[in-house]
Amino acid sequence: MQTEGFSGTALHTAAARAAHLIVDGEPVVFHDPFAYALLGECAEDYVRLHREMADHPVLAGLRAAVVSRSRYTEDRLARAVRRGVRQYVILGAGLDTYACRSSGPVEVVEVDHPGTQSWKREALARAGLPAPPRLTYVPADMESGQCPVDRLVAHGFDLARPAFVSWLGVTAYLTGEAVARTLAGLGRLAPGSEIVVDHVLPEALRGPRARAYAEALMPLVAGGGEPWLTFLSPREAADLLEEHGFEVIEQVPERDAAGPALRERTDALASSEISVITHARRRAGRRAG
């Protein structure tokens, strides 16, 4: 099924989560039992690439990026929930399945292009998965100038309560203006809110493995109509977050995001080392405009 505005990279991301449980050994970095089912009739077509070429550096690097950033984010989310946070916002949610996997008290809000959300809702129905009871879909196109936070408020989101925000696998596909505009909106979140965002390193900061990964992958995503547009160094990412009212808690290279579960392996799963994950908290004080 094709839907206008649907992101093809969402399919590849879900396939990477599904394939991790099929082609990679122990320890499992991230367990997503619903990713394969969501892919529906095209599941095996996407996963077959990983089955047949599990050790290909682009495919292994993609799996590593997807599962390590998901593991890192949901570990931090769990800590926030234990502290009482009850709002979880997923920017550029794609085919994320947290709402399907969670039985806790968290209200999940998925923000994405309406085409992608339409595809996902139909995919859930085709897979026989019940609609998650605590999930709200908020359609928004971050590149078009829409402010995701305005859209959140319009759908009942409470700006007075702290939230946890994940923004994974997205910033590279946006212009710098769209990234800054989105962060400006997030600066209106309540103090104590947290964000986890990953960002692709500029060419000058890439090692040999990252350079090879970029040279192989960038033409493919560009050919699919979703080119990489924005690259941020750790300092640039920190400066942007701090400009909009956040203080950085930590910045972690992709290869370290899942700790020994990713670093100390005997199979092909290995980081491309092309991205960094930044975890930040909304400072107390006056909210950004």
Side-chain angles (χ1 to χ4, degrees), residues 117-233:
Q117 292 186 334
S118 176
W119 199 102
K120 180 178 183 177
R121 294 173 88 153
E122 292 186 27
L124 284 167
R126 288 195 305 272
L129 298 174
R134 302 179 72 84
L135 170 61
T136 300
Y137 293 98
V138 175
D141 184 349
M142 285 177 273
E143 196 59 67
S144 72
Q146 291 181 335
C147 175
V149 174
D150 287 342
R151 302 291 295 146
L152 287 170
V153 172
H155 283 75
F157 182 83
D158 187 355
L159 281 178
R161 293 192 293 145
F164 190 97
V165 179
S166 68
W167 198 12
L168 305 176
V170 178
T171 59
Y173 297 95
L174 299 175
T175 61
E177 292 80 4
V179 172
R181 184 169 57 242
T182 300
L183 287 174
L186 294 174
R188 295 160 54 194
L189 296 177
S193 296
E194 296 177 45
I195 182 172
V196 172
V197 55
D198 66 336
H199 37 98
V200 174
L201 292 170
E203 185 174 3
L205 297 183
R206 298 173 196 163
R209 183 187 293 270
R211 286 197 297 271
Y213 184 80
E215 289 170 3
L217 186 58
M218 288 179 68
L220 296 178
V221 295
E226 298 180 88
W228 285 355
L229 301 173
T230 295
F231 310 95
L232 297 170
S233 69

Side-chain angles (χ1 to χ4, degrees), residues 35-61:
Y36 192 98
L38 270 185
L39 290 168
E41 294 180 353
C42 65
E44 194 52 35
D45 288 337
Y46 279 88
V47 172
R48 184 183 298 116
L49 293 171
H50 294 271
R51 289 186 194 270
E52 296 176 351
M53 299 184 291
D55 59 351
H56 190 287
V58 171
L59 294 174

